[in-house]
Amino acid sequence: MKTSKTILPQERIEIIDALRGFSLAGIVIVHMVENYIGAPAPGGFNEAVHQGIGDDIVDGFIGLFLRGKFFALFSFLFGLSFFIQMDNASQRGEYFGGRFLWRLVLLLSIGYLHSLFYAGDILTVYALLGILLIPFYKINSKWILGIVTLLFLGLGRYIVFFFTKGENLFGNMDITPDNPMVLEYYSTLKNGALLDVFSANSYNSHLNKMNFQFGVFGRGYVTYGFFLLGLYIGRTGFFQNYEKHKKLIKRTWISSLVLFVVSGALMAVTFGSMGENVTFDKWIAMFGLTAMDLNNVAVTFILISVFIILYKRTKPQKWLVKFAPYGKMALTNYFFQSVIGTFLLFGWGMGYIGELRNTYTFGIAILVIAMQMLLSKWWLNKFRYGPLEWLWRSATFLRIFPLKK
């Protein structure tokens, strides 16, 4: 590899980094409270982590405002970053599609290493879905918005259900809490050595994740919808002039609030009509899952709108801008928050999985966020990139970039 002094980073848009850091904070809270299991938990687990009203409040707060919403926000920013990279290259008279494809191959490698620690890794999914962003770079914006709408309305889920009737796409993983495979995996996390966890996560956990992403639960289709939405917003130049879009921001959060109420009601009616034992082998359950997706979409839009409204004001911005260094080092922080979390919880580390109440794991997550925010600010005062960001960038261009400022 040779040293490069010619390719320097483009000027970054601070609010995007702050929003990315904000989304990452929500993700670590969800993962930590879920004990980084990344799979169905056995029945006794829920009893152990719910020991009082505070634990129920934490669980309700995460379910309503965080779970599924902050990953959606993270996905939106991934699509936005794709556009920014492609557009920056285009302004230099270059085409970045081939380089972005190689960048995704590298991300897949980093993601696979991360998945050995935590089965719920999203980087591998991003790397695979990101390939489909490349041909959409020049497609008409109306087509992009149309496809986003169809994905949010559950088209992918309905096609899969039509052919599978709710059966798994990959493998035969039973997600019921007392299934022997669920119990065995949890036992590995609880009692296994590091190499045992790596072995358990090396293959089967990916099948389970693919079922969740591309089966009837359809997380991957919504993720790709947010990718495309980020690409579209990048085209509009919204974040370069976000202060001027008061009416658009107001309309967005109001319409999202309406969608939140309507989708929540549809979700309650749909799943309520199925009784206590909800199964995902009927069309009505598919409609309920789509209502849940729309509810997550609505909350995500509300979060983005409120964040921007607050960011435009001087006093809130002083606090929200602290997320920017955290967001600039999102890859490094995402990877190492999983290492920290699994060390605290899994048997190869301190072994507290299933032994800490939700209120305790919630508090630990806040401490991890604060620590990483401080370290990110300190690191970026001395260096141009986070460690994994520097490695990823250098490997993308096959050049060693200057790291120290």
Side-chain angles (χ1 to χ4, degrees):
M1 297 175 75
K2 59 183 181 179
T3 301
S4 169
K5 295 183 180 179
T6 57
I7 303 177
L8 294 175
Q10 298 285 331
E11 184 178 350
R12 301 180 70 103
I13 302 173
E14 189 176 63
I15 188 174
I16 295 177
D17 285 324
L19 197 54
R20 185 179 292 109
F22 177 66
S23 66
L24 189 60
I27 289 170
V28 70
I29 291 173
V30 173
H31 288 173
M32 191 69 74
V33 174
E34 291 177 348
N35 280 221
Y36 278 92
I37 296 176
F45 173 83
N46 286 327
E47 297 176 3
V49 300
H50 291 84
Q51 298 182 26
I53 189 170
D55 304 313
D56 295 330
I57 291 173
V58 167
D59 204 38
F61 172 76
I62 289 175
L64 186 61
F65 295 108
L66 303 185
R67 186 176 290 116
K69 290 79 171 175
F70 279 70
F71 258 128
L73 177 53
F74 209 58
S75 303
F76 167 79
L77 295 169
F78 185 88
L80 177 61
S81 295
F82 162 76
F83 172 80
I84 291 172
Q85 292 172 61
M86 294 287 284
D87 190 57
N88 286 342
S90 178
Q91 291 180 28
R92 298 193 301 265
E94 302 171 4
Y95 175 67
F96 196 71
R99 188 77 67 178
F100 187 78
L101 180 61
W102 169 237
R103 186 173 173 83
L104 292 174
V105 172
L106 297 170
L107 183 64
L108 183 65
S109 302
I110 297 171
Y112 184 78
L113 180 59
H114 176 253
S115 73
L116 296 178
F117 288 94
Y118 172 51
D121 160 78
I122 198 65
L123 300 179
T124 49
V125 177
Y126 277 21
L128 296 173
L129 285 177
I131 296 171
L132 301 177
L133 272 175
I134 299 172
F136 273 88
Y137 176 64
K138 293 187 177 180
I139 287 183
N140 187 281
S141 294
K142 292 182 179 179
W143 280 98
I144 289 178
L145 289 178
I147 294 171
V148 169
T149 301
L150 291 175
L151 290 171
F152 285 172
L153 289 174
L155 177 63
R157 168 182 297 115
Y158 298 140
I159 293 174
V160 170
F161 185 78
F162 178 80
F163 289 104
T164 67
K165 296 299 183 288
E167 296 293 327
N168 288 332
L169 286 171
F170 309 96
N172 297 309
M173 181 68 175
D174 187 341
I175 64 173
T176 54
D178 295 323
N179 179 268
M181 293 179 67
V182 171
L183 297 175
E184 180 183 358
Y185 180 69
Y186 183 81
S187 178
T188 300
L189 301 184
K190 178 69 176 175
N191 305 305
L194 182 60
L195 290 180
D196 296 325
V197 175
F198 281 5
S199 177
N201 288 341
S202 61
Y203 180 69
N204 286 332
S205 66
H206 289 278
L207 297 181
N208 188 38
K209 181 167 61 179
M210 290 300 106
N211 284 323
F212 180 68
Q213 294 288 338
F214 302 109
V216 295
F217 293 100
R219 170 71 69 81
Y221 308 115
V222 177
T223 296
Y224 188 64
F226 274 104
F227 278 10
L228 292 178
L229 187 62
L231 165 60
Y232 170 79
I233 293 298
R235 283 182 179 177
T236 67
F238 172 83
F239 281 100
Q240 283 89 339
N241 302 287
Y242 65 92
E243 300 96 338
K244 300 179 181 179
H245 294 283
K246 293 181 180 180
K247 290 184 179 179
L248 174 61
I249 296 169
K250 184 178 180 180
R251 286 199 301 267
T252 299
W253 77 259
I254 291 176
S255 58
S256 298
L257 186 60
V258 172
L259 178 61
F260 172 75
V261 173
V262 172
S263 60
L266 288 174
M267 189 168 54
V269 170
T270 303
F271 287 128
S273 67
M274 297 180 68
E276 294 183 1
N277 298 317
V278 176
T279 58
F280 299 98
D281 56 356
K282 299 180 178 63
W283 279 105
I284 190 171
M286 298 303 103
F287 298 138
L289 288 173
T290 297
M292 183 182 295
D293 284 343
L294 291 174
N295 197 260
N296 289 339
V297 168
V299 175
T300 303
F301 286 161
I302 292 171
L303 288 170
I304 294 173
S305 301
V306 172
F307 189 95
I308 295 172
I309 290 170
L310 293 175
Y311 205 86
K312 292 193 298 181
R313 299 176 180 176
T314 304
K315 289 185 177 179
Q317 186 185 103
K318 289 180 180 179
W319 290 98
L320 294 177
V321 76
K322 296 180 186 296
F323 283 108
Y326 190 46
K328 288 180 183 178
M329 291 177 51
L331 181 62
T332 297
N333 287 322
Y334 177 67
F335 191 106
F336 284 103
Q337 67 187 212
S338 296
V339 176
I340 294 168
T342 54
F343 172 76
L344 290 172
L345 297 164
F346 291 3
W348 64 267
M350 299 179 70
Y352 284 114
I353 188 171
E355 297 181 11
L356 299 175
R357 300 170 54 172
N358 283 346
T359 49
Y360 295 165
T361 48
F362 183 86
I364 292 171
I366 299 300
L367 290 175
V368 170
I369 293 166
M371 179 188 70
Q372 287 195 314
M373 288 177 70
L374 290 172
L375 285 174
S376 298
K377 183 178 180 180
W378 173 83
W379 180 274
L380 291 175
N381 282 334
K382 298 177 179 295
F383 302 97
R384 297 176 184 271
Y385 315 96
L388 289 184
E389 286 77 10
W390 172 79
L391 179 64
W392 193 20
R393 184 177 180 84
S394 295
T396 295
F397 292 96
L398 301 178
R399 308 172 184 218
I400 298 176
F401 282 80
L403 181 59
K404 289 194 69 175
K405 285 186 176 179

Short mmCIF file of all heavy atoms in Angstrom, two decimals, residues 27-52:
data_model
loop_
_atom_site.label_atom_id
_atom_site.label_comp_id
_atom_site.label_asym_id
_atom_site.label_seq_id
_atom_site.Cartn_x
_atom_site.Cartn_y
_atom_site.Cartn_z
N ILE A 27 -29.38 2.53 19.75
CA ILE A 27 -29.10 1.13 19.43
C ILE A 27 -28.42 0.42 20.60
O ILE A 27 -28.78 -0.71 20.95
CB ILE A 27 -28.23 1.05 18.16
CG1 ILE A 27 -29.07 1.44 16.93
CG2 ILE A 27 -27.64 -0.34 17.97
CD1 ILE A 27 -28.26 1.63 15.67
N VAL A 28 -27.44 1.07 21.23
CA VAL A 28 -26.73 0.41 22.33
C VAL A 28 -27.65 0.19 23.52
O VAL A 28 -27.53 -0.82 24.24
CB VAL A 28 -25.46 1.19 22.73
CG1 VAL A 28 -25.78 2.50 23.41
CG2 VAL A 28 -24.59 0.36 23.66
N ILE A 29 -28.60 1.10 23.75
CA ILE A 29 -29.55 0.91 24.85
C ILE A 29 -30.40 -0.35 24.60
O ILE A 29 -30.57 -1.19 25.49
CB ILE A 29 -30.45 2.14 25.01
CG1 ILE A 29 -29.63 3.33 25.52
CG2 ILE A 29 -31.60 1.84 25.97
CD1 ILE A 29 -30.40 4.64 25.55
N VAL A 30 -30.92 -0.49 23.38
CA VAL A 30 -31.73 -1.65 23.05
C VAL A 30 -30.93 -2.94 23.22
O VAL A 30 -31.38 -3.90 23.85
CB VAL A 30 -32.27 -1.55 21.61
CG1 VAL A 30 -32.98 -2.84 21.21
CG2 VAL A 30 -33.23 -0.36 21.48
N HIS A 31 -29.72 -2.97 22.67
CA HIS A 31 -28.90 -4.18 22.73
C HIS A 31 -28.53 -4.56 24.16
O HIS A 31 -28.57 -5.73 24.53
CB HIS A 31 -27.64 -4.00 21.90
CG HIS A 31 -27.90 -3.99 20.43
ND1 HIS A 31 -26.92 -3.70 19.49
CD2 HIS A 31 -29.02 -4.25 19.72
CE1 HIS A 31 -27.44 -3.78 18.29
NE2 HIS A 31 -28.71 -4.10 18.40
N MET A 32 -28.18 -3.55 24.95
CA MET A 32 -27.75 -3.84 26.31
C MET A 32 -28.91 -4.37 27.14
O MET A 32 -28.75 -5.35 27.89
CB MET A 32 -27.17 -2.59 26.96
CG MET A 32 -26.46 -2.85 28.28
SD MET A 32 -24.92 -3.78 28.10
CE MET A 32 -23.84 -2.50 27.41
N VAL A 33 -30.08 -3.76 27.02
CA VAL A 33 -31.24 -4.23 27.78
C VAL A 33 -31.68 -5.61 27.30
O VAL A 33 -32.17 -6.43 28.08
CB VAL A 33 -32.40 -3.22 27.69
CG1 VAL A 33 -33.66 -3.76 28.35
CG2 VAL A 33 -31.99 -1.90 28.36
N GLU A 34 -31.46 -5.91 26.02
CA GLU A 34 -31.74 -7.25 25.50
C GLU A 34 -30.64 -8.24 25.85
O GLU A 34 -30.70 -9.40 25.46
CB GLU A 34 -31.92 -7.20 23.98
CG GLU A 34 -33.20 -6.49 23.54
CD GLU A 34 -33.32 -6.37 22.03
OE1 GLU A 34 -32.30 -6.64 21.33
OE2 GLU A 34 -34.41 -6.03 21.55
N ASN A 35 -29.61 -7.78 26.56
CA ASN A 35 -28.48 -8.61 26.98
C ASN A 35 -27.66 -9.16 25.81
O ASN A 35 -27.02 -10.20 25.92
CB ASN A 35 -28.94 -9.77 27.87
CG ASN A 35 -29.21 -9.37 29.32
OD1 ASN A 35 -28.87 -10.08 30.26
ND2 ASN A 35 -29.81 -8.21 29.52
N TYR A 36 -27.71 -8.46 24.68
CA TYR A 36 -26.93 -8.84 23.50
C TYR A 36 -27.17 -10.30 23.09
O TYR A 36 -26.27 -10.96 22.55
CB TYR A 36 -25.43 -8.61 23.75
CG TYR A 36 -25.03 -7.17 23.53
CD1 TYR A 36 -25.02 -6.26 24.58
CD2 TYR A 36 -24.70 -6.70 22.27
CE1 TYR A 36 -24.68 -4.93 24.39
CE2 TYR A 36 -24.35 -5.37 22.06
CZ TYR A 36 -24.35 -4.49 23.13
OH TYR A 36 -24.02 -3.18 22.93
N ILE A 37 -28.38 -10.78 23.30
CA ILE A 37 -28.66 -12.17 22.93
C ILE A 37 -28.75 -12.31 21.41
O ILE A 37 -28.24 -13.26 20.82
CB ILE A 37 -29.95 -12.66 23.61
CG1 ILE A 37 -29.76 -12.67 25.13
CG2 ILE A 37 -30.34 -14.06 23.13
CD1 ILE A 37 -31.00 -13.05 25.91
N GLY A 38 -29.42 -11.37 20.75
CA GLY A 38 -29.51 -11.43 19.28
C GLY A 38 -30.27 -12.63 18.79
O GLY A 38 -30.07 -13.09 17.65
N ALA A 39 -31.16 -13.19 19.60
CA ALA A 39 -31.93 -14.38 19.27
C ALA A 39 -33.09 -14.46 20.26
O ALA A 39 -33.14 -13.68 21.22
CB ALA A 39 -31.05 -15.63 19.36
N PRO A 40 -34.02 -15.38 20.07
CA PRO A 40 -35.09 -15.54 21.06
C PRO A 40 -34.51 -15.88 22.43
O PRO A 40 -33.54 -16.64 22.54
CB PRO A 40 -35.92 -16.71 20.51
CG PRO A 40 -35.61 -16.75 19.04
CD PRO A 40 -34.19 -16.30 18.91
N ALA A 41 -35.10 -15.32 23.47
CA ALA A 41 -34.65 -15.60 24.83
C ALA A 41 -35.52 -16.68 25.46
O ALA A 41 -36.71 -16.76 25.16
CB ALA A 41 -34.71 -14.33 25.68
N PRO A 42 -34.95 -17.52 26.31
CA PRO A 42 -35.76 -18.54 26.99
C PRO A 42 -36.77 -17.91 27.94
O PRO A 42 -36.61 -16.76 28.36
CB PRO A 42 -34.71 -19.37 27.74
CG PRO A 42 -33.55 -18.45 27.91
CD PRO A 42 -33.54 -17.58 26.70
N GLY A 43 -37.79 -18.69 28.30
CA GLY A 43 -38.88 -18.15 29.11
C GLY A 43 -38.44 -17.53 30.42
O GLY A 43 -38.93 -16.48 30.81
N GLY A 44 -37.52 -18.16 31.11
CA GLY A 44 -37.09 -17.66 32.41
C GLY A 44 -36.35 -16.35 32.36
O GLY A 44 -36.26 -15.64 33.37
N PHE A 45 -35.83 -15.99 31.19
CA PHE A 45 -35.05 -14.76 31.06
C PHE A 45 -35.90 -13.54 31.36
O PHE A 45 -35.49 -12.64 32.11
CB PHE A 45 -34.46 -14.67 29.66
CG PHE A 45 -33.78 -13.36 29.36
CD1 PHE A 45 -32.48 -13.13 29.76
CD2 PHE A 45 -34.46 -12.35 28.69
CE1 PHE A 45 -31.85 -11.92 29.50
CE2 PHE A 45 -33.84 -11.13 28.42
CZ PHE A 45 -32.53 -10.92 28.83
N ASN A 46 -37.10 -13.48 30.78
CA ASN A 46 -37.96 -12.32 30.97
C ASN A 46 -38.35 -12.13 32.43
O ASN A 46 -38.46 -11.00 32.91
CB ASN A 46 -39.21 -12.45 30.10
CG ASN A 46 -38.92 -12.21 28.63
OD1 ASN A 46 -38.05 -11.41 28.30
ND2 ASN A 46 -39.63 -12.91 27.76
N GLU A 47 -38.56 -13.22 33.15
CA GLU A 47 -38.89 -13.12 34.57
C GLU A 47 -37.72 -12.56 35.37
O GLU A 47 -37.91 -11.78 36.31
CB GLU A 47 -39.28 -14.51 35.11
CG GLU A 47 -40.53 -15.08 34.46
CD GLU A 47 -40.82 -16.48 34.95
OE1 GLU A 47 -40.08 -16.97 35.83
OE2 GLU A 47 -41.78 -17.10 34.44
N ALA A 48 -36.50 -12.94 34.95
CA ALA A 48 -35.31 -12.50 35.70
C ALA A 48 -35.04 -11.01 35.53
O ALA A 48 -34.58 -10.35 36.47
CB ALA A 48 -34.10 -13.31 35.25
N VAL A 49 -35.31 -10.47 34.34
CA VAL A 49 -34.98 -9.06 34.09
C VAL A 49 -36.14 -8.12 34.41
O VAL A 49 -35.97 -6.91 34.37
CB VAL A 49 -34.51 -8.87 32.62
CG1 VAL A 49 -33.28 -9.70 32.34
CG2 VAL A 49 -35.63 -9.19 31.63
N HIS A 50 -37.32 -8.68 34.70
CA HIS A 50 -38.48 -7.87 35.11
C HIS A 50 -38.80 -8.18 36.57
O HIS A 50 -39.47 -9.16 36.88
CB HIS A 50 -39.70 -8.18 34.25
CG HIS A 50 -39.60 -7.73 32.83
ND1 HIS A 50 -38.97 -8.48 31.85
CD2 HIS A 50 -40.02 -6.60 32.22
CE1 HIS A 50 -39.02 -7.83 30.70
NE2 HIS A 50 -39.65 -6.68 30.89
N GLN A 51 -38.31 -7.34 37.45
CA GLN A 51 -38.52 -7.59 38.88
C GLN A 51 -39.25 -6.43 39.57
O GLN A 51 -39.39 -6.43 40.79
CB GLN A 51 -37.18 -7.83 39.57
CG GLN A 51 -36.44 -9.06 39.06
CD GLN A 51 -35.14 -9.30 39.82
OE1 GLN A 51 -35.00 -8.89 40.96
NE2 GLN A 51 -34.19 -9.95 39.16
N GLY A 52 -39.69 -5.48 38.81
CA GLY A 52 -40.39 -4.34 39.40
C GLY A 52 -40.95 -3.44 38.34
O GLY A 52 -40.71 -3.62 37.13
#
